[in-house]
Amino acid sequence: MKILVTGAAGFIGFFVSKSLLAQGHTVVGLDNINDYYDINLKYARLEELGIARPEAETFNQMVKSATHEEFSFIRMALENRESLPVLFKDQAFDKVCNLAAQAGVRYSLENPEAYIDSNLVGFLNILECCRKYTIKHLVYASSSSVYGLNEKIPFETTDAVDHPVSLYAATKKSNELMAHAYGHLYGFKTTGLRFFTVYGPWGRPDMAMFLFTDAIINGKPIKVFNNGNLERDFTYIDDITEGVVRIIETPILSGDADKEHFKIYNIGNSKSVKLMDFITAIEESLEITAQKEMLPMQPGDVEKTWANVDDLISDYNYAPNTPIKLGVQRFIDWYKSYYKS
């Protein structure tokens, strides 16, 4: 198949692109390479995919990989209503995996416009292109943040998600509603994935795994919000990637005529890990005790996340199985190698 992966220079998009290539698919990666976090890391991911930085820096220029015959990359913003349809027309994709978005719960408090542009306008443009160019299946990133202040544990896709506590969460819920409407009106299939806390090598510098490791290695205190009384469904990147690729490769599985065009899944580890236990795993791997700065809960945060992934297991034989200690060690090994620590 020929598959468009948006957000290909991002954490999950990078691994999904690699895995799809390993499965023999043709992949076109797209990313606007914004500066929300260190762009050097994004270009380094692309270099792992055979795309040289000088070639990747130019907007709207298709670049062939030097190491993967079936991979190409284009730097483009999803908000670009002129260029995106041209790409769809020229490339004739079979399926689309939309992982591009303005990420970050806390940053949405500082720069709300970026979330509207990328997560709403950009997603609308993706839907329009899927409609016009007869895409068979759109797989797209939602987020566990849509559950907001939901107190029912574990989170299930049948739970009400009408009370987001951040603009980021609101845009992700909006994506689900937009996908449902387009699928209903125009008949193409959509699958939304509510990602929980993903970690691993090449991870985002704004995420807990990276922030904690970087601070501890450099002798700086780590910020522990809500005085450490937080729990997260930490999920290793390989487990996430395997689930995403299975969904891309397989049509929607549903006997319900009303749902044939639309599916939502949680994708996580199906376990809730205490933040302090996660920090302990990092300390033990580094053999360094962290200096901890205990802070109150941050606006937009929630105390606990925990994914029920039974339907993903049932429909796709999804099997997250990477223990926290192993995943943490793999990240730290990568971090030390990448930053020569």
Side-chain angles (χ1 to χ4, degrees):
M1 287 188 294
K2 190 171 192 178
I3 303 161
L4 172 65
V5 177
T6 73
F11 178 32
I12 300 175
F14 163 63
F15 278 95
V16 167
S17 296
K18 282 178 60 178
S19 183
L20 287 170
L21 290 167
Q23 295 295 106
H25 300 291
T26 298
V27 178
V28 174
L30 178 152
D31 205 293
N32 69 350
I33 314 182
N34 67 32
D35 62 358
Y36 168 63
Y37 63 79
D38 182 13
I39 62 171
N40 294 312
L41 181 58
K42 297 181 179 184
Y43 283 117
R45 293 183 187 126
L46 289 175
E47 287 174 358
E48 289 286 308
L49 291 167
I51 304 296
R53 178 167 182 166
E55 295 179 308
E57 288 178 329
T58 303
F59 275 95
N60 304 326
Q61 173 181 286
M62 187 70 74
V63 181
K64 292 287 292 182
S65 169
T67 57
H68 295 82
E69 185 177 349
E70 297 301 319
F71 183 72
S72 302
F73 175 79
I74 187 166
R75 186 179 186 187
M76 183 182 290
L78 295 185
E79 306 94 285
N80 190 326
R81 280 201 179 95
E82 289 73 39
S83 298
L84 194 64
V86 173
L87 177 69
F88 271 72
K89 182 179 180 181
D90 290 347
Q91 296 298 319
F93 302 116
D94 295 303
K95 297 187 179 182
V96 173
C97 180
N98 183 54
L99 300 173
Q102 177 57 60
V105 170
R106 292 168 194 149
Y107 186 61
S108 67
L109 303 175
E110 304 169 21
N111 191 4
E113 292 85 358
Y115 291 77
I116 301 302
D117 292 342
S118 180
N119 299 8
L120 295 186
V121 176
F123 191 66
L124 173 63
N125 293 343
I126 286 286
L127 289 170
E128 274 290 288
C129 287
C130 288
R131 173 177 75 88
K132 290 178 180 177
Y133 298 100
T134 58
I135 300 302
K136 298 174 184 175
H137 189 185
L138 168 64
V139 179
Y140 64 94
S142 185
S143 169
S144 62
S145 66
V146 301
Y147 290 106
L149 297 176
N150 181 37
E151 295 181 354
K152 177 177 167 291
I153 295 294
F155 297 164
E156 299 184 20
T157 55
T158 53
D159 294 342
V161 288
D162 299 324
H163 302 286
V165 293
S166 70
L167 180 63
Y168 171 72
T171 64
K172 288 300 184 179
K173 174 58 180 173
S174 298
N175 287 171
E176 295 178 4
L177 294 171
M178 293 162 73
H180 185 280
Y182 264 73
H184 175 74
L185 289 169
Y186 305 115
F188 64 88
K189 297 178 179 180
T190 67
T191 300
L193 301 176
R194 292 176 177 171
F195 288 104
F196 282 68
T197 306
V198 188
Y199 74 100
W202 297 97
R204 280 170 31 200
D206 63 318
M207 298 295 285
M209 177 81 255
F210 196 110
L211 292 170
F212 291 160
T213 301
D214 186 70
I216 294 169
I217 284 178
N218 290 290
K220 298 177 181 179
I222 62 173
K223 295 181 178 181
V224 183
F225 294 110
N226 201 35
N227 296 306
N229 296 316
L230 295 173
E231 294 184 35
R232 292 289 180 265
D233 192 317
F234 290 105
T235 313
Y236 189 65
I237 184 61
D238 288 0
D239 295 329
I240 289 287
T241 302
E242 182 179 353
V244 174
V245 170
R246 287 186 185 186
I247 291 167
I248 292 171
E249 291 184 326
T250 310
I252 286 182
L253 304 172
S254 174
D256 186 339
D258 186 49
K259 294 182 178 179
E260 285 181 355
H261 65 275
F262 176 80
K263 263 308 229 185
I264 293 289
Y265 291 100
N266 288 332
I267 183 164
N269 196 38
S270 196
K271 297 181 182 70
S272 193
V273 177
K274 293 180 180 179
L275 181 63
M276 296 308 294
D277 291 343
F278 190 64
I279 292 171
T280 297
I282 299 171
E283 291 176 318
E284 290 177 350
S285 182
L286 291 173
E287 298 182 339
I288 304 172
T289 300
Q291 305 170 47
K292 301 175 184 69
E293 182 182 356
M294 310 306 280
L295 297 169
M297 181 74 99
Q298 295 293 288
D301 271 358
V302 295
E303 287 193 15
K304 185 173 183 177
T305 65
W306 180 2
N308 181 320
V309 296
D310 288 350
D311 53 354
L312 197 56
I313 293 170
S314 174
D315 289 352
Y316 293 98
N317 200 27
Y318 174 66
N321 57 13
T322 306
I324 285 292
K325 288 188 176 181
L326 177 59
V328 166
Q329 186 62 59
R330 287 176 178 172
F331 171 83
I332 289 172
D333 290 345
W334 167 81
Y335 178 97
K336 288 180 175 179
S337 173
Y338 183 78
Y339 290 101
K340 305 297 187 292
S341 297

